[in-house]
């Protein structure tokens, strides 16, 4: 007999609370984005490793995202089974969704007018509000590392012409 049946509750093999776990939702999101991306890019020419087509890198990254989503999903399901939410405190499920979405929208609206530096600070700053455990120093370090990688990859490496600072 299961724990629920011992206490007089019927055995329910699937609990909706399992879907509310962060890792389960993140894994499902990664898998969903990867599947949609793979479907949209199904007609892109892939080419070979030496002569890459326009679909080579995006499809490779989408397959990596699909595998990563599966790993995160399985980890979340395993944690859900091992750890039942016994304490009465529940974090709001909308908080991360709202703040991560807002951070992406703020970045998209700010990148052309405010430049890369301020846009990344906005992205990380607003996104950090999604977690109650984020610390200001960690947020600043994350923004600095992301900014360094972005400048190295997009401006130095790829030679893209995008403003780094605001053009006032």
């Amino acid at each position: 007999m299961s724990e629920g049946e011992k206490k007089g509750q019927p055995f329910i093999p699937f609990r909706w609370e399992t879907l509310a776990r962060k890792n389960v939702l993140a894994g499902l999101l990664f898998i969903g984005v990867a599947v949609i991306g793979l479907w949209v890019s199904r007609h892109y020419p892939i080419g070979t490793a030496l002569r890459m087509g326009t679909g080579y890198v995006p499809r490779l990254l989408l397959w990596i995202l699909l595998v990563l989503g599966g790993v995160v999903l399985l980890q979340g399901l395993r944690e859900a089974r091992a750890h039942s939410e016994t304490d009465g405190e529940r974090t709001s499920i909308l908080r991360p969704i709202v703040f991560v979405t807002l951070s992406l929208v703020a970045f998209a609206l700010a990148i052309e007018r405010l430049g890369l530096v301020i846009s990344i600070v906005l992205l990380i700053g607003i996104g950090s509000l999604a977690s109650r455990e984020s610390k200001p120093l960690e947020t600043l370090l994350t923004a600095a590392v992301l900014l360094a990688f972005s400048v190295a990859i997009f401006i130095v490496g790829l030679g893209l012409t995008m403003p780094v600072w605001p053009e006032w």
Side-chain angles (χ1 to χ4, degrees), residues 100-111:
V100 169
T101 304
L102 282 176
S103 70
L104 293 171
V105 169
F107 178 82
L109 294 175
I111 188 71

Side-chain angles (χ1 to χ4, degrees), residues 125-149:
I126 296 171
S128 70
L129 296 174
S131 171
R132 295 180 195 271
E133 292 117 22
S134 64
K135 297 177 179 68
L137 182 61
E138 291 174 353
T139 303
L140 286 174
L141 286 173
T142 303
V145 169
L146 182 61
L147 179 62
F149 277 123

Side-chain angles (χ1 to χ4, degrees), residues 29-78:
L29 177 71
F30 289 171
I31 290 170
V33 168
V35 167
I36 291 170
L38 287 168
W39 184 78
V40 167
S41 67
R42 70 188 182 279
H43 297 299
Y44 292 176
I46 295 176
T48 64
L50 293 175
R51 246 177 117 72
M52 296 178 198
T54 56
Y56 188 89
V57 173
R59 288 183 63 95
L60 176 66
L61 292 175
L62 288 167
W63 280 109
I64 292 171
L65 183 64
L66 183 69
V67 170
L68 178 65
V71 169
V72 171
L73 175 65
L74 290 175
Q75 179 184 6
L77 291 174
R78 192 177 73 231

Side-chain angles (χ1 to χ4, degrees), residues 80-155:
R81 231 179 285 143
H83 176 267
S84 64
E85 291 184 325
T86 55
D87 56 329
E89 182 182 333
R90 278 196 164 168
T91 57
S92 172
I93 194 167
L94 292 179
R95 183 182 179 103
I97 294 170
V98 168
F99 282 111
V100 169
T101 304
L102 282 176
S103 70
L104 293 171
V105 169
F107 178 82
L109 294 175
I111 188 71
E112 289 183 18
R113 292 187 182 148
L114 300 179
L116 190 63
V117 174
I118 295 176
S119 299
I120 286 179
V121 169
L122 282 173
L123 174 77
I124 300 300
I126 296 171
S128 70
L129 296 174
S131 171
R132 295 180 195 271
E133 292 117 22
S134 64
K135 297 177 179 68
L137 182 61
E138 291 174 353
T139 303
L140 286 174
L141 286 173
T142 303
V145 169
L146 182 61
L147 179 62
F149 277 123
S150 297
V151 168
I153 292 170
F154 297 111
I155 295 175

